[in-house]
Amino acid sequence: GDSVTQMEGPVTLSEEAFLTINCTYTATGYPSLFWYVQYPGEGLQLLLKATKADDKGSNKGFEATYRKETTSFHLEKGSVQVSDSAVYFCALTFGFGNEKLTFGTGTRLTIIP
Amino acid sequence: GAGVSQSPSNKVTEKGKDVELRCDPISGHTALYWYRQRLGQGLEFLIYFQGNSAPDKSGLPSDRFSAERTGESVSTLTIQRTQQEDSAVYLCASSLKTGSPLHFGNGTRLTVT
């Protein structure tokens, strides 16, 4: 079945460091890919998405590129802030009548000043 | 309300008892999803509703689990004869329509003793 694998956390970085959180997927076909984020005390919310190969999703300084050849959707940010501390989830869906999102296990990110 | 509301936020129950979890989606959202997250694992899809019908209930783990939805409003997830392995955070999400971004509630943390 479909699955998402993301790097295990927790990840701790200093403010202004470069961030990469790896995500790879296994699926039959070409899903849409997402990153969701959960800030402390809040519900999961969509951070960015990409719906086809080579698309780049971006939001709040974060970027991820849909790489079909490596079945990956790594999350990157050039300079992290303390406010980026959260749990990040990679997910996929096929939509079009198959609406369920398949999630990775989540990566907890802590940014220290 | 402004977001997806779930109640209770925490529930501790004895093994063998029934529990009912409630989700109030964002007004106007036709699609509603239930997920659960057990400790150290990713989010598992349980069921989704389009209106008050459930096109995909493939994730319900056993016949002890059931869910219903009244119109395009409140949904309840019922777990009968709870077991310790049911302990998890149960998350509800809604979206304007299938294929739109999901808006998650803060979850119900269920502990079965």
Side-chain angles (χ1 to χ4, degrees), chain B residues 19-66:
Chain B
V19 295
E20 195 171 273
L21 312 180
R22 177 187 169 106
C23 173
D24 281 276
I26 294 173
S27 178
H29 280 197
T30 62
L32 186 149
Y33 303 75
W34 283 99
Y35 284 83
R36 77 174 175 182
Q37 185 174 27
R38 289 187 280 192
L39 190 64
Q41 299 186 25
L43 278 74
E44 295 175 72
F45 169 81
L46 297 178
I47 186 172
Y48 97 90
F49 290 90
Q50 180 59 41
N52 62 2
S53 66
D56 189 345
K57 53 179 80 171
S58 63
L60 295 177
S62 75
D63 59 7
R64 296 187 295 106
F65 287 72
S66 62

Side-chain angles (χ1 to χ4, degrees), chain A residues 34 36 38 41-46 49 89 95 97-106, chain B residues 33 35 37 40-43 45 48 56 58-59 91 98-106:
Chain A
F34 304 81
Y36 277 79
Q38 185 170 30
E42 299 183 19
L44 276 161
Q45 57 188 272
L46 179 66
K49 68 177 184 179
F89 293 87
N98 181 5
E99 304 298 341
K100 64 183 182 186
L101 274 168
T102 299
F103 284 87
T105 53
Chain B
Y33 303 75
Y35 284 83
Q37 185 174 27
Q41 299 186 25
L43 278 74
F45 169 81
Y48 97 90
D56 189 345
S58 63
L91 290 167
T98 53
S100 299
L102 270 59
H103 299 258
F104 282 84
N106 286 350

